[in-house]
Amino acid sequence: MAEKTFGVIGYALAPKKQNSFIRNSLVTLAKSRGIELVRVDSDKPLADQGPFDCILHKLYGDDWKRQLQEFKTRFPNAVILDAPEAIERLHNRISMLQVVSELRVLERTETFGIPKQIVIYDKATLMDPQAGESLKFPVIAKPLVADGSAKSHKMALVFTRDALDKLKPPIVLQEFVNHGGVIFKVYVVGEHVRCVKRKSLPDVSEEKTVGVSEDLLSFSQVSNLANHDSVNDSDGYYQLMHLDETEMPPNAFVVDIASGLRRALKLNLFNFDVIRDARYGNRYLIIDINYFPGYAKMPGYEAVLTQFFCDVMFKKQQEEQQGEGCALVSTKNNEESLQV
Ligand SMILES: O=P(O)(O)O[C@@H]1[C@@H](OP(=O)(O)O)[C@H](OP(=O)(O)O)[C@H](O)[C@H](OP(=O)(O)O)[C@H]1OP(=O)(O)O
Ligand SMILES: Nc1ncnc2c1ncn2[C@@H]1O[C@H](COP(=O)(O)OP(=O)(O)O)[C@@H](O)[C@H]1O
Ligand SMILES: [Mg+2]
Ligand SMILES: [Mg+2]
């Protein structure tokens, strides 16, 4: 066990997240490296608690943002992982993916982008015969807001233009891209990047689009379903996916994109979903970016997160020492996330 506390990290998480993420195995390993993990009491003002060297958080709402601001005013040297303004960009499925077009990665044989999509804010626009004219069907209808609510994960695979009237705006209509039924989830923890395979929606053939008895199929959080989980499958649409047979994308490519996203988003803790366009084989599409995802599903997450916490503390201490030595450097932008 470490003799000295290297840093105290306060965590402010919803109960479900707390149960899955704050496991004894994480707390013990972190402690052995001098990192103490302490729960933030949501019934008390954050600024009255602590002292904390760092706040790890995934909570929503203006009240929480205000509490973070107050905390930062009172403890300017504390690190907030991550800045709420940076996280907010991921709460809207349009702004979330706009960042992809800002990325510049080294030239390679693989290419990347996002699927073609439009945003519809109201029913009148949705009912306009021109709505969705620029898109090739089927499309996936996604709630515009991605705020962690169950509603924000409710999607629909829409086969025909006529079925659009069953949807409730504001929504994003995104072209469905065949990708072999497997998605790649890329977990980012500071500089650490890990890509895993997960089950996705199966490919849709032209015949399927014509012959399907329903013109709209609803689904939610497909990648979290175990293979035996029941889904509405009257058309025999869902089937077992053979994850093992799917080739991973080149690691250097994934790391390049992850590093680019991390810089552009100014975030340390996120994951993104990538699919490989079945038409090309070397074209990858980013479809979703999530703040502070289910890291506990990443094998060995305790060691990865503990190392990250140590890096954050080390960087903080270095900056404090430099600050003491040079009081002139006071222009540090408090709003910006620390990038370890
Ligand atoms: O709960 P988990 O472990 O399935 O994690 C969810 C993530 O699953 P993943 O790690 O990508 O497989 C999940 O990712 P997806 O959106 O399903 O790709 C979200 O990040 C979800 O958070 P929120 O509901 O969007 O706020 C995450 O939920 P929270 O744990 O943050 O509630
Ligand atoms: N454009 C697309 N083409 C094919 N499948 C998609 C597309 N967009 C989403 N999916 C499938 O739908 C699932 C949920 O969509 P996603 O945007 O990741 O929402 P969530 O935030 O709920 O995870 C993905 O994991 C993937 O299986
Ligand atoms: Mg997703
Ligand atoms: Mg998501």
Side-chain angles (χ1 to χ4, degrees):
M1 289 282 159
E3 288 170 13
K4 227 174 105 210
T5 300
F6 188 20
V8 181
I9 300 187
Y11 58 84
L13 304 169
K16 174 178 160 262
K17 191 73 171 178
Q18 196 176 298
N19 287 338
S20 68
F21 183 76
I22 306 291
R23 294 193 183 157
N24 282 340
S25 50
L26 174 68
V27 175
T28 310
L29 185 65
K31 198 164 186 186
S32 74
R33 303 272 309 267
I35 304 285
E36 212 178 314
L37 291 166
V38 176
R39 190 177 76 87
V40 170
D41 185 344
S42 56
D43 293 332
K44 295 184 191 148
L46 173 64
D48 293 348
Q49 300 178 58
F52 299 123
D53 298 294
C54 170
I55 300 291
L56 190 65
H57 69 110
K58 183 171 181 178
L59 292 178
Y60 301 87
D62 290 340
D63 178 59
W64 177 243
K65 261 181 81 178
R66 230 182 349 261
Q67 292 210 44
L68 284 173
Q69 264 160 14
E70 269 173 43
F71 178 82
K72 191 74 193 170
T73 309
R74 205 174 305 173
F75 306 101
N77 286 344
V79 178
I80 293 181
L81 288 174
D82 283 301
E85 297 75 16
I87 298 171
E88 266 172 8
R89 185 172 188 169
L90 303 186
H91 293 167
N92 173 302
R93 292 187 191 272
I94 294 293
S95 57
M96 170 202 284
L97 295 185
Q98 265 162 355
V99 66
V100 176
S101 62
E102 296 166 21
L103 295 190
R104 297 284 164 266
V105 305
L106 295 177
E107 234 168 84
R108 338 178 24 104
T109 49
E110 296 81 21
T111 63
F112 69 94
I114 63 170
K116 194 166 178 187
Q117 62 179 16
I118 58 167
V119 58
I120 306 247
Y121 291 102
D122 53 60
K123 201 81 187 171
T125 314
L126 187 67
M127 300 321 293
D128 186 326
Q130 287 181 338
E133 209 176 41
S134 59
L135 299 175
K136 189 175 173 309
F137 278 64
V139 296
I140 299 206
K142 307 184 180 189
L144 176 61
V145 173
D147 61 1
S149 60
K151 227 172 83 183
S152 72
H153 291 291
K154 280 193 115 189
M155 318 253 146
L157 182 54
V158 186
F159 292 95
T160 65
R161 265 165 237 281
D162 288 347
L164 290 178
D165 71 351
K166 296 182 183 164
L167 302 169
K168 276 205 196 101
I171 48 169
V172 172
L173 295 179
Q174 188 179 82
E175 282 186 359
F176 177 88
V177 177
N178 280 343
H179 55 282
V182 174
I183 60 164
F184 305 104
K185 272 192 178 277
V186 183
Y187 289 87
V188 180
V189 182
E191 276 172 8
H192 183 92
V193 178
R194 172 84 64 88
C195 180
V196 300
K197 289 184 264 188
R198 288 279 182 78
K199 193 168 74 167
S200 182
L201 294 177
D203 289 349
V204 176
S205 61
E206 290 287 335
E207 305 84 71
K208 193 115 201 173
T209 315
V210 177
V212 76
S213 63
E214 297 284 342
D215 52 9
L216 183 146
L217 279 171
S218 299
F219 65 94
S220 182
Q221 298 212 279
V222 189
S223 65
N224 274 346
L225 293 177
N227 279 341
H228 52 77
D229 279 347
S230 61
V231 284
N232 178 8
D233 196 19
S234 52
D235 294 303
Y237 181 74
Y238 297 93
Q239 51 200 275
L240 292 185
M241 287 303 142
H242 300 287
L243 291 183
D244 294 348
E245 290 147 33
T246 303
E247 202 185 309
M248 292 286 262
N251 195 52
F253 175 63
V254 168
V255 169
D256 264 7
I257 297 180
S259 312
L261 282 176
R262 181 172 155 254
R263 272 190 300 271
L265 291 166
K266 296 193 168 68
L267 291 174
N268 289 285
L269 299 171
F270 64 96
N271 77 357
F272 55 100
D273 298 344
V274 186
I275 55 177
R276 180 164 48 218
D277 191 329
R279 287 168 297 186
Y280 307 105
N282 64 348
R283 175 143 182 88
Y284 292 84
L285 301 168
I286 295 162
I287 54 169
D288 186 24
I289 309 178
N290 305 295
Y291 187 65
F292 204 145
Y295 285 120
K297 282 180 268 173
M298 195 173 86
Y301 89 103
E302 297 93 338
V304 174
L305 269 298
T306 297
Q307 185 57 51
F308 172 67
F309 296 151
C310 290
D311 293 345
V312 170
M313 287 306 144
F314 184 68
K315 184 142 195 243
K316 177 176 180 276
Q317 288 183 358
Q318 266 189 331
E319 281 177 3
E320 280 168 2
Q321 278 158 15
Q322 279 164 12
E324 279 161 22
C326 177
L328 284 173
V329 190
S330 60
T331 50
K332 190 168 161 266
N333 182 359
N334 282 348
E335 295 304 306
E336 217 166 86
S337 284
L338 175 122
Q339 294 265 295
V340 183

